[in-house]
Amino acid sequence: MNNAGIPIVVALLASMLRLATPLIFAALGGLFSEKSGVINIGLEGMLTIGAFFAVYGSFITNNPWIGIIFAIISGAAVASIHAFLSIHLKADQTISGVAINIFASAITSYLLMVLFKRQGQTDGVTSLPYPKEAMLHIPVIGKFLAELNWYVFIAIILVVITNYIFYKTPLGLRIRAVGEHPKAADTLGISVYGIRYLCVILSGALAGLGGASLSLSNTNLFREGMVSGKGFIAIAAMIFGNYKPFGALWACLIFALADAFQIVAQGLGWPFPTEFYSAIPFIITMIVLSGFVGKTVPPAADGIPYEKGEK
C-alpha cells in the first residue's frame, strides 16, 4: 500500500470503531436479556431514550458525565417496563418490545417540545472531553487513536467484562441456567424472576449508554431519527455472533465497516448514487439475518415466560 492510501485506511478503521460503539453497547444489552430468556426487541427504543436523555442531562447540568448517567437511568427505566410486562404479566415479549420502540419515538418527540421548545432536534451541548492532541503524540498509532473517543474504549472493555461475567462467574452461570432451563434453575434455588429482571434492566442501561455514545460523541445533540435502525442492527449482530460477547463484537465491527465504507466511499467520487452507499449496511443486515437465523443457537428458554410451579 502506498503512503497516500494510509490516511484513508486510518479514517475507515477509526470511523468503523466509532460507528460500531452504539451497536456494541446495545448488542451487549441484548445478550444479557436474551441469555436470561427474555427477548428484547425494544433495544431501538432504549437507544433512542438514552440518546435523548444524555443530551437533556448534559443540557441542564452542562456536564456530559451527568448526561451519561441520565442515559443509563432512562434506558434502565424503560427496560423495567419491558421487564414488568414480559416477566410479571407474561405479555408477548416481541409485542412488548415493539411497543417500547413506538413509545420511545413518540415520547422523545413530545419531550423535545416540552423541554427544548423546538421540533426536530435539541440544542447543542458540551461534548465529553477527549485528549486528541495528547493522542497524536503517541508513536505509530497516534493519528488513529486521535480519531476515536472514550466510548470506543468503554465498549471494548465492557465486551471483555461481559464475557468474563457470563463464563467465569457464578452470576453468569445463573443467568445462563435461567435462560436454558428455568425450572431446573428454580429447583436449585435460583430466583428466575430476579435474574430476568436484573438482566432486562441491565440491557436497558447498556442500550441507554449506547444512546449516549450516539448523541454525545459527534453531533452533541439529539435529532429525531438519529438512531435509525441501529437497535435492530445490534440485534442482528447479537444473532450473527451466536449470542456470545466477542461474536457480537466482531459482527458489530462488520456492520460498522459497511457503514464507514459508505461514508468514505462517497468522498472518493465513484459514479454511484448516494442511496446505494446508504443502503449497504442494511443490505448486509438482511443478508446476515436471512443466512444465519436458524443456524445460531439461542438460549433454550428464550422468549418463553416462566410460571413458577407450572408442570
Side-chain angles (χ1 to χ4, degrees):
M1 180 183 300
N2 57 39
N3 291 336
I6 292 177
I8 296 176
V9 173
V10 169
L12 183 65
L13 294 178
S15 182
M16 174 190 71
L17 283 170
R18 291 196 307 270
L19 292 168
T21 300
L23 302 180
I24 294 170
F25 284 128
L28 291 179
L31 272 176
F32 272 102
S33 183
E34 306 255 354
K35 283 282 190 183
S36 72
V38 179
I39 294 173
N40 192 352
I41 300 292
L43 290 174
E44 177 84 0
M46 294 168 196
L47 276 169
T48 303
I49 289 287
F52 176 83
F53 278 97
V55 172
Y56 179 65
S58 183
F59 178 74
I60 61 175
T61 63
N62 199 30
N63 186 330
W65 290 107
I66 301 294
I68 291 173
I69 294 173
F70 268 57
I72 292 172
I73 293 174
S74 62
V78 173
S80 67
I81 299 172
H82 180 55
F84 180 73
L85 294 172
S86 302
I87 301 169
H88 195 80
L89 299 183
K90 298 176 179 53
D92 186 293
Q93 296 169 13
T94 302
I95 293 175
S96 173
V98 172
I100 292 288
N101 293 334
I102 296 171
F103 166 76
S105 177
I107 194 67
T108 49
S109 295
Y110 172 72
L111 291 176
L112 262 174
M113 288 297 299
V114 173
L115 301 177
F116 290 92
K117 312 298 181 189
R118 56 192 300 180
Q119 292 180 323
Q121 65 181 44
T122 64
D123 298 324
V125 295
T126 306
S127 63
L128 201 63
Y130 181 73
K132 187 171 182 175
E133 294 300 323
M135 291 293 184
L136 284 171
H137 290 92
I138 297 175
V140 184
I141 59 173
K143 289 184 179 179
F144 173 69
L145 294 177
E147 296 297 323
L148 305 181
N149 55 54
W150 288 125
Y151 301 102
V152 175
F153 298 99
I154 294 170
I156 294 172
I157 291 170
L158 282 179
V159 171
V160 177
I161 293 174
T162 302
N163 189 73
Y164 182 81
I165 290 173
F166 280 146
Y167 301 109
K168 299 292 183 182
T169 68
L171 175 62
L173 183 61
R174 290 185 175 90
I175 293 171
R176 289 187 287 133
V178 167
E180 294 291 341
H181 203 313
K183 188 175 180 181
D186 196 4
T187 304
L188 294 172
I190 299 172
S191 173
V192 175
Y193 294 159
I195 291 290
R196 286 188 169 179
Y197 264 101
L198 172 67
C199 289
V200 174
I201 292 172
L202 193 54
S203 77
L206 285 166
L209 180 57
S213 74
L214 196 61
S215 61
L216 291 183
S217 55
N218 296 323
T219 60
N220 296 323
L221 54 78
F222 173 83
R223 185 186 305 115
E224 286 185 287
M226 71 184 305
V227 173
S228 186
K230 289 181 173 55
F232 300 116
I233 294 177
I235 294 171
M238 178 186 66
I239 296 170
F240 183 41
N242 202 16
Y243 298 87
K244 294 179 179 177
F246 281 103
L249 168 65
W250 291 117
C252 289
L253 291 176
I254 291 171
F255 289 135
L257 180 62
D259 211 359
F261 176 75
Q262 61 108 353
I263 295 173
V264 173
Q266 289 183 51
L268 298 178
W270 291 350
F272 297 109
T274 304
E275 292 78 9
F276 170 77
Y277 298 112
S278 301
I280 291 176
F282 299 99
I283 292 173
I284 290 180
T285 302
M286 288 189 289
I287 292 172
V288 167
L289 284 174
S290 61
F292 284 87
V293 169
K295 296 180 180 177
T296 56
V297 183
D302 196 16
I304 303 174
Y306 178 67
E307 182 69 50
K308 191 177 179 63
E310 186 180 52
K311 293 184 179 179

